Amino acid sequence: MEGKENSTSATNQNKQRFKRICVFCGSRPGYKSAFSEAALQLGNLLVERKIDLVYGGGSVGLMGLISQTVFNGGCHVLGVIPRALLPHEISGETIGEVKTVADMHQRKSEMAKNADAFIALPGLYITIFSLSLKYAYMSLIVYILIKVLNCVLGGYGTMEELLEMITWSQLGIHEKPVGLLNVDGYYNSLLTLFDKGVEEGFIEDSARNIMISATTAEELIKKMEEYAPVHDRVAPRQTWEVDQLL
């Protein structure tokens, strides 16, 4: 009986691992209904588990769908948006609490600081590729991906945000789970490229495990709850000016 109670307690504790999840996704809905359905399913799952949402602000595309779903479900929504993107004709009206920042780097920093984990849906933001990726071992592969395969994989911004969180994990800046919701095979080419990076010696086997992927929201969050870092950090966390990044 006692063992069963301990098991139940551990399960409940595991389910409460995340209080806030940052979701990177598109300011467009995409052509397939599967993308919108996935955003709604993820939003409903966050509500069911009483997990608050951190996102890039606005009310258009997949960003609008998931933020409105979480907000309507009674959970807190924090939208972090650069001042330049505030006009309604660009991003629409941000759902929930709004935090205005100066630029894209500060946006990512604030989103990361306020989240316990990260999930990327398919998406597109109009952003500039982050130079911080040059410090990661996978930078060459990422550069090729962004320049050559964007037509297959999607927009620059969601990729850049996702890959920077992977990079920060590899560098030792954070140990938060990074998840990829691979809707309808959208990210298959990206995952194949990561595997190619391992095969060619640009990505360590252990670092490949930073990226957690699944085809459904429920499976993805379950995997993220079970995640424990196994990769070697490039530098100890205490050597980074973490307050400036997270």
Side-chain angles (χ1 to χ4, degrees):
M1 182 68 176
E2 182 179 350
K4 185 175 181 180
E5 288 177 354
N6 290 339
S7 176
T8 301
S9 175
T11 300
N12 290 338
Q13 184 177 5
N14 198 38
K15 285 184 178 180
Q16 297 303 316
R17 177 174 178 179
F18 307 130
K19 294 182 179 179
R20 295 171 295 186
I21 290 181
C22 175
V23 176
F24 303 125
C25 59
S27 57
R28 297 182 182 181
Y31 292 131
K32 295 182 179 180
S33 61
F35 300 146
S36 296
E37 290 167 3
L40 292 172
Q41 289 168 2
L42 177 57
N44 285 324
L45 187 59
L46 296 182
V47 171
E48 179 185 324
R49 294 181 176 234
K50 295 180 169 47
I51 299 174
D52 295 332
L53 172 69
V54 180
Y55 81 117
S59 59
V60 295
L62 300 185
M63 297 168 69
L65 284 175
I66 190 167
S67 59
Q68 192 68 64
T69 300
V70 174
F71 184 79
N72 289 346
C75 291
H76 185 263
V77 174
L78 172 63
V80 184
I81 188 166
R83 190 168 292 105
L85 300 182
L86 274 176
H88 287 190
E89 61 269 22
I90 297 177
S91 62
E93 183 177 354
T94 295
I95 309 298
E97 180 185 353
V98 183
K99 185 174 183 64
T100 305
V101 294
D103 53 38
M104 297 302 295
H105 177 75
Q106 189 180 359
R107 182 196 215 180
K108 286 177 293 185
S109 179
E110 285 295 326
M111 292 169 79
K113 186 184 301 182
N114 284 281
D116 303 316
F118 311 94
I119 291 177
L121 283 161
L124 167 67
Y125 298 125
I126 302 172
T127 62
I128 298 175
F129 183 68
S130 174
L131 294 178
S132 67
L133 287 173
K134 69 181 180 180
Y135 298 110
Y137 293 140
M138 64 181 75
S139 59
L140 177 60
I141 293 173
V142 171
Y143 180 82
I144 294 171
L145 165 70
I146 296 296
K147 293 295 185 181
V148 180
L149 298 181
N150 182 61
C151 59
V152 178
L153 294 173
Y156 294 106
T158 302
M159 294 288 181
E160 183 264 345
E161 290 165 328
L162 168 70
L163 292 168
E164 183 144 15
M165 293 306 108
I166 296 173
T167 300
W168 286 7
S169 179
Q170 182 177 7
L171 293 176
I173 295 171
H174 75 77
E175 295 185 346
K176 301 174 181 181
V178 183
L180 189 70
L181 189 53
N182 189 18
V183 182
D184 203 24
Y186 182 79
Y187 283 115
N188 283 350
S189 296
L190 176 61
L191 296 172
T192 299
L193 187 59
F194 284 171
D195 292 336
K196 183 66 173 176
V198 174
E199 180 185 332
E200 298 292 349
F202 287 99
I203 301 174
E204 294 288 340
D205 283 322
S206 58
R208 173 64 179 84
N209 294 324
I210 295 172
M211 164 70 6
I212 306 162
S213 65
T215 57
T216 67
E218 188 168 4
E219 180 189 5
L220 181 60
I221 290 184
K222 181 178 184 296
K223 286 184 175 181
M224 291 170 65
E225 287 171 339
E226 297 169 349
Y227 170 80
V230 295
H231 61 282
D232 294 328
R233 286 67 163 178
V234 174
R237 190 172 190 272
Q238 60 267 27
T239 63
W240 293 97
E241 295 182 1
V242 175
D243 290 342
Q244 303 299 316
L245 294 168
L246 296 177

